[in-house]
Every structure is written in C-alpha cells, then in structure tokens.
Amino acid sequence: MSQVQTVTVGPGDSDQRLDRWFRRLFPHVSQGRIEKMCRKGEIRVDGGRVKASTRLTTGAQVRIPPLPEAHEIRVMTAAKVSDSDAKLIRDCVIYRDDHIIALNKPPGLPSQGGSKQKRHVDGLSEALRFGFDDKPRLVHRLDKDTSGVLLLARTREMAAALTAALRHRQTRKIYWAVVAGVPTPYLGEIKYGLVKAPGHGRGGEGEKMHCLHPRDVDGTPGAKRAITQYATLYRVASRAAWVAMEPITGRTHQLRAHMSEIGHPIIGDGKYGGSGQENQGDGWGAQLGGIISNKLHLHARTMQLEHPVTRKPLSIVAPLPEHMERTFDTFQWTPDMAAEDPFETLQ
C-alpha cells in the first residue's frame, strides 16, 4: 500500500471530473472504489468532501488515501480488450482527427463502467489509441440503450475544451426517436423540471427522474430545470411518430422523461414507457408490438460544434442502429425525409 499523499491539480487538468483525473493517475483503481472513497471522505479536495463528479480547478490540493501498488498497469489494462472487442469499437468510429474521435455508439453498450458493467466504451477505448500514448477520454455520455454520436478527446487539453463547449451549450445535439402516439402540437418545447427519485436496488439501480412543473422546481430539493425542443416529423396514423428532439439542457434521462410526461413515451423504453403495456394509439405504453423491436428507439443523430483547434464548423452524423432501421423500413420512412434543421421555426 502507498502512503497518504497530496497532489496539486495542474493547468492541463482544470475543469476535469475528479474520477477521470484519478483514474488517469491510478488506472488500476476501479470507478466503484473511487466513488466509495469519496463517500467515506477518504478522497478530499482542499480539505473538503467531494463527489466523483466534482470538477477540479488549477491549484486544487487533492488528498489521495493509501492505495494498493500497481505494476505494469498499461500492459495489463490494454490486454483486457479482446481482438473481437477491439474490432467492434473501431468499427464504431465515424470521425477521427488528431484531436477528436467520434463514435456511433451501439445500443446496449454502456458509456462507462459500473457495479454490474464490465464492458463499456471507456474500457474499450484502449483500442482507440491509433498511435497515441494515452487512450482517448470520454467528454460526455449516452445512456446504455441509446445509440448515436459519442465524442472522445485524444488529449487532456482537448477534453477540457470539449467539456467546456458542452457545458456552455456551444454544441448542438439532435436526437431522433420513435414515440407512442402523435405529439401535438407538432412543434413544441417541454419545460418540466427533473428530480431524481431513489431507486430500489442496493446501488440505486432503479433510479429514475420525475418531472415537476416549472413553478415547483425552486422549492424542490435536488430538482433542476430542463428544456427539450421537439418536432414531429412523420406519423403512422395515431399509433406512432418519428420525432426529432434537441435538449437545450443536459439532464439525466431528460428526453425519455419529458416525452413520457407529455404522454408519448419512446418506443422500447421500459423505465419510462410502461413496457408491459401495449400502445393503442392514445400515447400510453411503449410497446407497438408486431414486428417492431422492443429495443429503445432513441438515437443521437447529429452533433454540431466548432472544432476547438481548427475553429471550423464540424457536423457529425451517425447512421441509425439496425433495429431503428427496420422500424423505419416498416413505416416507409427514410433519413433523407427529415429537414436539415427541423427546429428552424423555433430559433
């Protein structure tokens, strides 16, 4: 075991999450252990208790508790990615330069590990070095069952720049979904606040977000304001609709909770859509039945941003996953039927 030590956060690590900074310095320490050490107060920043998600600032003093020694960490970590998994994650790459890698994340693959998640993008990214000394870093996340554009930074400086751009809403993300029923009006904005409800599992596995009327947000502990713009693109009678969504804020499960709250859950959403109930056209129930897949029909279709280095506009588009392609074929929809900017009238 090592001794207690104090590490000063350098300029290149400013605005980085504590857990990501910690795992870069001590890659043999698991995410679960980092979170446990934070809960117990063993990891502290400037003498105070912190969460794993705490953002670090230049000059901050991080207390590191005694840790087990690690030997040949880089070799051991890289060896965990099998040839088949390396091929899988490399096949997901839809954009790459010296600074950024963009993936089309498949549904079912978590962005990061957890107590029950041993195979995830963060771990498989060891296979995405492409000649660099360090593996690329996640700068945001998608839910396990959500597919689409996921950005990784190839350096610490790029990670800080992309994280800042995402936080200050200097990027634009448009999601596609198939929902139960047909939202009306066809073009609108959802402003329900969100608050986390405790889960039933030992690790909070059943956690979900509850919607609140905007007037109740300020008076509810832990609640946050959330805004989603949506545009109904095409429909199938009153049974289902193809919807584009743009999250103006970036809250956990925001799109899923918001669409469920207005009575049009995303198809295949077992957490927010009442997966055991079939939709009869009244917007209730996230199962269409028949040949339509029960997988979540939510896809991060495009991300637009200014490249932090070249300063040129960068637009990344992710093709639909197989199960959504089949649903589109069934309803005779094609991606080129969508307007380039379905929210133009809301700007």
Side-chain angles (χ1 to χ4, degrees):
M1 298 287 285
S2 65
Q3 301 298 312
V4 173
Q5 55 185 306
T6 300
V7 179
T8 302
V9 177
D13 293 325
S14 180
D15 204 37
Q16 190 171 178
R17 282 174 57 117
L18 170 63
D19 51 1
R20 294 174 188 164
W21 175 87
F22 200 100
R23 292 196 70 178
R24 181 176 60 80
L25 293 182
F26 309 101
H28 61 296
V29 179
S30 69
Q31 178 72 19
R33 181 161 187 163
I34 294 171
E35 293 176 359
K36 182 177 181 180
M37 288 188 293
C38 287
R39 288 195 301 270
K40 294 174 67 175
E42 295 175 347
I43 298 176
R44 292 177 177 255
V45 176
D46 292 334
R49 286 178 173 263
V50 288
K51 296 181 179 180
S53 59
T54 297
R55 298 281 173 180
L56 299 174
T57 58
T58 300
Q61 301 290 303
V62 182
R63 178 192 185 274
I64 309 296
L67 299 173
E69 299 293 341
H71 303 287
E72 318 237 346
I73 297 303
R74 188 178 299 279
V75 174
M76 291 168 58
T77 303
K80 292 181 181 178
V81 182
S82 66
D83 289 344
S84 59
D85 279 347
K87 182 180 186 305
L88 179 148
I89 199 68
R90 288 170 185 158
D91 286 346
C92 292
V93 175
I94 52 177
Y95 176 85
R96 186 180 107 199
D97 62 24
D98 287 342
H99 312 283
I100 298 171
I101 292 176
L103 305 179
N104 183 6
K105 188 187 83 66
L109 181 66
S111 297
Q112 287 183 300
S115 58
K116 295 184 178 180
Q117 306 295 344
K118 304 303 181 185
R119 185 169 173 266
H120 45 80
V121 172
D122 191 36
L124 299 185
S125 65
E126 285 285 351
L128 299 177
R129 294 174 184 267
F130 297 118
F132 277 48
D133 290 337
D134 297 322
K135 72 174 187 177
R137 299 162 171 80
L138 285 169
V139 294
H140 67 115
R141 294 182 297 174
L142 293 175
D143 290 347
K144 175 184 174 182
D145 295 320
T146 301
S147 58
V149 180
L150 185 66
L151 290 186
L152 296 90
R154 304 191 73 181
T155 64
R156 290 196 302 276
E157 293 76 14
M158 183 55 54
L162 289 175
T163 299
L166 289 162
R167 182 176 303 120
H168 300 304
R169 302 176 192 171
Q170 295 168 347
T171 62
R172 191 171 183 209
K173 293 180 281 187
I174 295 178
Y175 291 72
W176 283 359
V178 183
V179 304
V182 182
T184 53
Y186 292 154
L187 192 66
E189 192 169 67
I190 307 169
K191 294 185 176 180
Y192 288 106
L194 295 170
V195 63
K196 183 182 291 185
H200 301 294
R202 291 180 58 188
E205 297 89 345
E207 285 182 351
K208 63 186 294 186
M209 307 304 290
H210 283 187
C211 288
L212 297 169
H213 192 281
R215 66 170 173 262
D216 299 326
V217 172
D218 290 341
T220 304
K224 296 180 179 179
R225 297 193 179 276
I227 301 173
T228 299
Q229 293 180 349
Y230 74 87
T232 306
L233 304 182
Y234 292 91
R235 61 179 182 160
V236 179
S238 60
R239 295 294 307 278
W242 169 11
V243 172
M245 293 177 287
E246 182 175 1
I248 306 304
T249 53
R251 310 303 184 197
T252 301
H253 296 177
Q254 176 178 317
L255 302 180
R256 298 164 62 186
H258 271 177
M259 294 311 296
S260 178
E261 184 66 18
I262 67 171
H264 301 284
I266 297 171
I267 300 303
D269 193 344
K271 184 180 286 284
Y272 293 94
S275 60
Q277 301 180 16
E278 184 176 346
N279 169 42
Q280 299 297 332
D282 57 1
W284 178 254
Q287 302 290 11
L288 288 181
I291 64 173
I292 303 303
S293 172
N294 290 336
K295 292 183 178 180
L296 183 69
H297 283 60
L298 178 61
H299 179 68
R301 172 65 174 179
T302 63
M303 179 175 287
Q304 300 169 354
L305 67 154
E306 180 185 88
H307 195 291
V309 175
T310 67
R311 297 302 175 188
K312 294 181 179 179
L314 179 61
S315 182
I316 301 169
V317 180
L320 289 170
E322 183 180 356
H323 72 282
M324 287 186 68
E325 267 194 338
R326 291 199 304 269
T327 297
F328 271 49
D329 287 343
T330 300
F331 294 150
Q332 298 184 330
W333 297 334
T334 57
D336 60 7
M337 292 169 64
E340 185 175 340
D341 183 1
F343 304 99
E344 189 171 3
T345 59
L346 284 177
Q347 304 303 315

